[in-house]
Amino acid sequence: MELVVAVRPVSELYSADGSTLARRSAKFSAFASLRFDDTIPLEAEKLRVALERSGVGLEIINMKGGGDIDKAVIDGIEHCDTFIVFGSAKYGEDTGNAACTYYESKFAQSRKKRIILIRMIPFGEDFEFPQA
């Protein structure tokens, strides 16, 4: 089975009433917590599309569109039903940024969100940071 996933800049995620498009259009919503450089991992985009077909919105924050990353991340986690971790080798590193994956996952835990880990590394390898 092939999955398919679209990245929207933060400016396109929010509607006039302040809700996100993903939240308004879905019965349930999930927040994607992932580390990436210049592109969103294809797996995250594929999962977003597959979940959307089932009526579940997956919010993927892409700050290339501008905006306040801290607000976008906190709002996304606050309003999601499920926090999905894309567990790359460096997931959970404390980079000092309030919106890094270390603090994202801590915030999701404090809000008692359902957390799902998608292991993005081979089973023979270990995560570099204990948060993953």
Side-chain angles (χ1 to χ4, degrees), residues 75-93:
D75 287 351
I77 296 170
E78 189 71 49
H79 292 98
C80 76
D81 300 302
T82 303
F83 182 82
I84 300 178
V85 172
F86 287 83
S88 61
K90 292 189 177 287
Y91 184 89
E93 180 180 7

Side-chain angles (χ1 to χ4, degrees), residues 89-121:
K90 292 189 177 287
Y91 184 89
E93 180 180 7
D94 182 353
T95 63
N97 179 335
C100 70
T101 56
Y102 175 82
Y103 291 112
E104 285 180 8
S105 58
K106 288 285 197 187
F107 185 68
Q109 289 171 351
S110 76
R111 293 295 193 253
K112 303 200 182 318
K113 298 297 177 175
R114 178 182 315 120
I115 298 175
I116 297 173
L117 169 64
I118 299 175
R119 187 181 180 97
M120 303 289 289
I121 62 173

